[in-house]
Amino acid sequence: VVWISTHGATYTDRDGISRYGIVTDETVDPTTGLCALTSDECAKNHDDRDAGRLFSGKLRQGGKGFVMVNGAFIAKYWKLAANSVVVIDACNSMDDAKEYFDFQQALRTANAATVLGWKSTVSLAFADKTVGFLFDRVLGANADPHLTPKQRPFSVPEVYESMSKARKLKAPAGSAVFAMSQWSLTRQSILAPS
């Protein structure tokens, strides 16, 4: 299971192509644009930036500088186990427009069997509630809401279908929808707490 909760955004790369990426917690100096990590880490980021695998910028005018990774970064560095579940809890991570295709295709190529994320922008409160409920049911934690008697863990597709029937996938305000794609699931995986 890979779960990343962060910001997602599009940017224009050096070739003028619009791309989607997710923000890491690595920062750059907002005034100079210089890397704020160790020299070795900065050298790796420089190489990835030159190869088009990451982007440095600001989410908003006057905001702190950040490093964003894109589909090319995932394609180079991510190798997932069979039947992997990936949750990209970031705005627009499952949008259908062409700038999102490289990111989603990279997840598929990295061996993600099931991917969940957001179509459109989503509020932090609704994202936390939705993803929290998903993992509560997938892990059989029975905490949100507390269930008596306790329920067994359910597979991601079973929980997603239940959330859909209960209308828990679409934000009450705005157009955010929690979306799921399944590409190569070879069995119904049920996660169990360890």
Side-chain angles (χ1 to χ4, degrees):
V1 174
V2 176
W3 173 22
I4 297 176
S5 183
T6 187
H7 294 288
T10 58
Y11 65 94
T12 302
D13 72 10
R14 64 177 174 245
D15 297 323
I17 298 170
S18 183
R19 303 219 182 262
Y20 177 77
I22 55 174
V23 176
T24 70
D25 71 349
E26 296 177 23
T27 59
V28 294
D29 183 295
T31 307
T32 64
L34 296 176
C35 179
L37 302 170
T38 68
S39 59
D40 286 345
E41 292 168 317
C42 289
K44 289 175 186 173
N45 280 357
H46 186 270
D47 291 344
D48 283 329
R49 188 185 67 231
D50 286 351
R53 293 186 289 266
L54 64 77
F55 174 79
S56 298
K58 295 180 186 176
L59 283 177
R60 58 185 113 17
Q61 188 66 25
K64 75 175 186 174
F66 65 88
V67 174
M68 182 184 302
V69 298
N70 60 24
F73 183 92
I74 290 169
K76 178 164 176 70
Y77 296 111
W78 286 28
K79 305 297 180 247
L80 303 171
N83 298 309
S84 292
V85 174
V86 178
V87 178
I88 304 294
D89 189 8
C91 291
N92 307 100
S93 57
M94 293 294 284
D95 276 4
D96 296 321
K98 65 179 181 176
E99 52 264 8
Y100 305 98
F101 179 77
D102 288 348
F103 189 85
Q104 294 163 5
Q105 187 60 39
L107 291 171
R108 186 176 188 171
T109 302
N111 208 26
T114 304
V115 177
L116 298 105
W118 294 100
K119 289 187 179 214
S120 194
T121 57
V122 63
S123 72
L124 180 60
F126 186 70
D128 284 351
K129 181 179 176 180
T130 303
V131 174
F133 183 86
L134 172 84
F135 279 113
D136 180 82
R137 294 303 188 260
V138 166
L139 294 172
N142 298 290
D144 182 26
H146 181 74
L147 295 176
T148 305
K150 291 187 174 187
Q151 302 289 307
R152 67 170 175 85
F154 291 90
S155 72
V156 172
E158 288 172 315
V159 174
Y160 187 84
E161 182 179 340
S162 172
M163 292 173 73
S164 178
K165 287 178 181 174
R167 301 182 192 274
K168 293 181 179 246
L169 300 176
K170 184 175 184 324
S175 59
V177 176
F178 194 51
M180 179 177 77
S181 289
Q182 285 195 282
W183 293 310
S184 61
L185 190 65
T186 57
R187 59 184 169 87
Q188 285 286 63
S189 299
I190 294 181
L191 306 177
S194 56

